[in-house]
Amino acid sequence: MPPQLQSQNQSGLRILQGDLSALSPAVKEFVEANVNLCQPDSLHICDGSDEENRAILTQLEEQGMIKKLNKYENCWLARTDPRDVARVESKTVIVTREQRDTVPTPLGGGVSQLGRWMSPEEFDKDMAQRFPGCMKGRTMYVIPFSMGPVGSPLSKIGVELTDSPYVVASMRVMTRMGKSVLSALGTGEFVRCLHSVGCPLPLKKPLVNNWPCNPEQTLIAHIPDRRQIVSFGSGYGGNSLLGKKCFALRIASRIAKEEGWLAEHMLILGVTNPAGEKKYMAAAFPSACGKTNLAMLCPTLPGWKVECVGDDIAWMKFDDQGNLRAINPENGFFGVAPGTSAKTNPNAMETIIKNTVFTNVAETSDGGVYWEGMDQSLPEGVTITSWKNKPWSPKDGEPCAHPNSRFCTPAGQCPIIDPLWESPEGVPIEAIIFGGRRPEGVPLVYEAFSWQHGVFVGAAMRSEATAAAEHKGKVIMHDPFAMRPFFGYNFGQYLSHWLSMADRPGAKLPKIFHVNWFRKSPTAGFLWPGFGDNIRVLDWMFRRINGEAGAMPSAVGYLPCSDSLNLQGLKENVDLNELFSLDQEFWQKEVEDVRKYFTTQVNDDLPNEVARQLELLQHRVKQM
């Protein structure tokens, strides 16, 4: 339908597009209440059309928020205010009546590392300080979006209200968005998402890089009981694209607990062996551990094929036959750019050359993008402008792209997207893989002894820290299930929920594995070549699921028997002894570190079974 330009509703609000009265009563009430609160000048109800998208991108370009990248088809570059470049864990909260519904009470009353709680009273006060009049002079966009294929029984719907056209353009890539979602919603339930950059017009101070944000007042709050997300002050994706971590993990994990399914920070891939047999696997890694690279793996073993269902989030539910079915609730990839190259991830490089919004990467003078680890030499005479919008050369001693710079690109463009990636019933998961970046002590792969042991392995996950949040430097951090920043409720209850899956009648529980591509030798760098050669580990898992590959019990789990990993054609010499060695002293310390973490952080909420698995590990390590 042509936009109803300048129609007015009773309150004098200009309606730029859409019909307020055509919305369901609940959506209309949600919109009107927040129009009254935020006081935008105008309202735009998004329909998700190509015309709308072109108009939004043109508007962003005119405002100087994005720049066209002429080297590619319909690609754009945004540079943010340098104070608004990542998720802000310190300002991301869950609002519940009781603190213990959000986080376990740490031993001795310290600060929880498993989430931040805010009381409803404090939240109401913070809302009242921030939102009244926050959209003055701006347009409020109404974005109806579906997490998961529209109409799938595993999908959920949200409505995001935002004053950022950058969010509209990005949500169109990352979710299914627009008219079809409103039709599917009818008068059903939806998650209420409110976002503002927190910069009413006229501005009080000039913008940096034409990027509106209000870092001093940033707040990202989740109210699970009300199925509500409220975000203020940040335009950065993880804080403003509320379908992503906020809905798909924090709110969804709480809904999943209530409804008996799992919302997880996991990639999903399909692996087909040379005989044409296919299995789907899900894998949880903290950021900077090669999640997107594994999801888009180019196998080095002949005859194997890997296809990508998703690179970040999995929603998984047992079906009536007892199969664990998974969907990728997202519609795009919001990937970290640095380190992505034709060597590390050729499929991602092919995905991002059209219809992509890049944020905080460097720009080349011939209208292209550039970042650390891209490993492409520039043509003669081509210069680089850094993410800070300054001329850059390698001598500058700082990166040309922000370490957390991103590409936001449609998943359907991935050359190896799985044929069933939008299947409404999801794909059957036969293996769950946990992993982290562990330079020492942890073998390349091991298999959990049981579902319960696998839940313990997920709970005990640790990894070298990353740039995706505000943490600095390289320290080994606990990141249980790669969900530490994303739990929507008490982690102890989350563990109990995972354990309860074993009690489902007829459930075909996936095998659980742990991998570590990042073990180093004291003298010579990484012990395992990684990347495409990781298919050799997936091959072993594949055969383990079929009961074909040899394994031997160890203190930590089942390790591959000698000769059971297929190393044919491996270009580098690999020291398997060192790669799989288990050092008793290292694992004694690991047991103690995990025990300390469980005792101080999970405390009284640690399920008995997880505590028992730790005791069993300690016992096995003692006997090494």
Side-chain angles (χ1 to χ4, degrees):
M1 78 173 205
Q4 299 165 288
L5 283 175
Q6 313 306 327
S7 78
Q8 300 234 336
N9 76 346
Q10 291 87 336
S11 66
L13 179 75
R14 284 184 305 147
I15 312 273
L16 302 182
Q17 176 176 293
D19 179 1
L20 201 49
S21 62
L23 300 174
S24 78
V27 175
K28 184 167 179 276
E29 183 190 344
F30 173 55
V31 172
E32 286 178 337
N34 286 294
V35 162
N36 290 337
L37 176 67
C38 304
Q39 297 171 23
D41 269 19
S42 50
L43 188 74
H44 175 121
I45 299 168
C46 297
D47 61 15
S49 65
D50 288 339
E51 299 77 26
E52 174 183 74
N53 187 47
R54 280 196 294 272
I56 292 279
L57 291 167
T58 303
Q59 179 194 334
L60 282 164
E61 189 177 25
E62 285 166 359
Q63 292 174 355
M65 269 186 85
I66 63 172
K67 182 174 180 182
K68 198 164 190 17
L69 293 162
N70 292 318
K71 196 170 174 179
Y72 321 111
E73 182 191 331
N74 189 33
C75 286
W76 306 83
L77 172 63
R79 290 189 181 99
T80 73
D81 184 315
R83 298 171 302 165
D84 190 21
V85 293
R87 285 183 294 102
V88 194
E89 285 177 23
S90 55
K91 299 178 177 189
T92 302
V93 301
I94 311 267
V95 181
T96 49
R97 174 66 36 222
E98 300 298 327
Q99 180 166 352
R100 203 164 164 184
D101 290 338
T102 294
V103 285
T105 308
L107 188 70
V111 175
S112 175
Q113 296 168 17
L114 292 161
R116 290 182 81 89
W117 173 73
M118 183 180 267
S119 71
E121 293 74 22
E122 195 182 345
F123 169 70
D124 290 342
K125 194 177 86 202
D126 281 5
M127 274 290 286
Q129 279 170 358
R130 287 166 174 77
F131 279 91
C134 67
M135 296 188 186
K136 277 184 178 165
R138 298 190 182 275
T139 298
M140 175 189 278
Y141 298 91
V142 180
I143 309 173
F145 65 95
S146 177
M147 298 311 290
V150 179
S152 157
L154 296 172
S155 297
K156 300 283 179 195
I157 285 175
V159 176
E160 176 163 357
L161 312 179
T162 181
D163 53 9
S164 165
Y166 169 88
V167 167
V168 178
S170 303
M171 286 289 283
R172 187 173 187 269
V173 175
M174 293 306 301
T175 69
R176 287 94 177 159
M177 176 266 255
K179 235 190 224 165
S180 60
V181 177
L182 282 178
S183 310
L185 174 62
T187 55
E189 291 284 306
F190 62 97
V191 171
R192 290 158 169 78
C193 307
L194 173 64
H195 168 255
S196 173
V197 292
C199 291
L201 299 175
L203 290 168
K204 299 219 173 29
K205 45 188 159 184
L207 299 179
V208 180
N209 286 334
N210 298 309
W211 180 267
C213 61
N214 188 343
E216 294 79 25
Q217 293 287 308
T218 296
L219 177 70
I220 301 97
H222 309 71
I223 308 91
D225 291 338
R226 288 193 239 153
R227 305 287 190 253
Q228 187 184 349
I229 303 159
V230 168
S231 171
F232 187 91
S234 171
Y236 166 76
N239 304 324
S240 66
L241 312 181
L242 301 184
K244 198 162 177 52
K245 309 292 195 190
C246 296
F247 181 163
L249 289 177
R250 296 191 193 98
I251 293 289
S253 63
R254 167 69 189 268
I255 296 174
K257 173 181 173 258
E258 291 171 18
E259 295 181 354
W261 49 280
L262 301 165
E264 299 299 329
H265 188 204
M266 291 183 180
L267 64 91
I268 308 166
L269 51 76
V271 193
T272 307
N273 72 5
E277 185 189 354
K278 184 168 189 176
K279 296 187 186 300
Y280 289 95
M281 304 178 177
F285 300 150
S287 44
C289 291
K291 197 139 133 259
T292 302
N293 295 347
L294 182 65
M296 301 184 193
L297 186 88
C298 289
T300 53
L301 281 179
W304 284 82
K305 184 161 82 171
V306 166
E307 289 162 302
C308 174
V309 176
D311 79 324
D312 196 36
I313 296 173
W315 286 1
M316 303 185 286
K317 188 176 189 178
F318 284 101
D319 67 12
D320 297 342
Q321 284 72 54
N323 300 304
L324 186 61
R325 293 268 176 184
I327 61 167
N328 167 14
E330 300 192 288
N331 192 44
F333 304 126
F334 186 65
V336 173
T340 308
S341 72
K343 174 184 178 281
T344 62
N345 196 336
N347 290 313
M349 293 301 279
E350 210 179 311
T351 306
I352 61 184
I353 52 176
K354 59 181 185 187
N355 305 319
T356 298
V357 179
F358 295 93
T359 302
N360 288 340
V361 301
E363 178 190 8
T364 57
S365 55
D366 60 352
V369 291
Y370 203 75
W371 49 73
E372 276 60 37
M374 190 188 259
D375 296 338
Q376 283 176 11
S377 48
L378 293 172
E380 190 71 32
V382 170
T383 57
I384 294 179
T385 302
S386 78
W387 74 279
K388 294 178 176 172
N389 205 9
K390 295 188 179 114
W392 182 90
S393 92
K395 298 193 221 42
D396 290 357
E398 61 173 23
C400 64
H402 188 276
N404 194 40
S405 54
R406 298 280 173 161
F407 52 79
C408 177
T409 194
Q413 292 178 183
C414 178
I416 57 155
I417 198 74
D418 194 90
L420 294 182
W421 85 280
E422 297 194 277
S423 149
E425 60 278 358
V427 297
I429 300 295
E430 294 187 65
I432 289 171
I433 304 166
F434 295 121
R437 185 179 274 270
R438 297 301 302 271
E440 50 186 330
V442 179
L444 175 65
V445 59
Y446 59 91
E447 178 191 326
F449 293 123
S450 63
W451 180 260
Q452 292 77 5
H453 178 225
V455 172
F456 164 77
V457 168
M461 269 171 70
R462 304 169 74 202
S463 188
E464 262 190 357
T466 148
E470 331 119 276
H471 301 289
K472 301 280 187 294
K474 301 213 162 172
V475 287
I476 303 281
M477 286 180 61
H478 292 270
D479 194 348
F481 288 75
M483 281 283 284
R484 186 195 54 76
F486 309 122
F487 293 117
Y489 63 99
N490 181 309
F491 171 56
Q493 296 167 15
Y494 167 96
L495 289 174
S496 298
H497 182 59
W498 263 81
L499 290 167
S500 75
M501 297 296 148
D503 304 329
R504 298 185 156 251
K508 297 172 190 160
L509 297 170
K511 277 188 178 293
I512 297 178
F513 299 89
H514 187 282
V515 298
N516 174 29
W517 319 131
F518 301 98
R519 193 167 185 176
K520 290 179 174 171
S521 97
T523 50
F526 292 116
L527 288 166
W528 179 248
F531 300 112
D533 285 313
N534 291 339
I535 188 65
R536 300 169 190 279
V537 174
L538 298 182
D539 159 49
W540 181 73
M541 294 174 180
F542 197 107
R543 286 180 289 124
R544 285 294 297 160
I545 296 164
N546 285 345
E548 294 159 1
M552 48 193 184
S554 76
V556 298
Y558 292 113
L559 297 177
C561 286
S562 59
D563 305 334
S564 70
L565 267 189
N566 181 352
L567 302 181
Q568 268 175 319
L570 192 62
K571 291 196 175 65
E572 303 174 35
N573 278 332
V574 167
D575 183 342
L576 286 181
N577 288 335
E578 205 175 344
L579 201 49
F580 284 100
S581 68
L582 294 174
D583 177 75
Q584 186 181 39
E585 206 177 313
F586 173 90
W587 279 95
Q588 282 170 336
K589 184 170 179 341
E590 190 75 4
V591 165
E592 283 320 304
D593 287 349
V594 170
R595 170 174 288 116
K596 184 180 170 196
Y597 184 72
F598 284 174
T599 306
T600 56
Q601 287 295 316
V602 199
N603 198 0
D604 295 342
D605 289 313
L606 188 73
N608 292 336
E609 179 58 40
V610 177
R612 190 178 81 92
Q613 290 294 335
L614 180 63
E615 295 310 318
L616 290 170
L617 173 62
Q618 182 179 25
H619 181 66
R620 294 190 299 265
V621 168
K622 223 181 215 162
Q623 298 188 314
M624 276 165 73

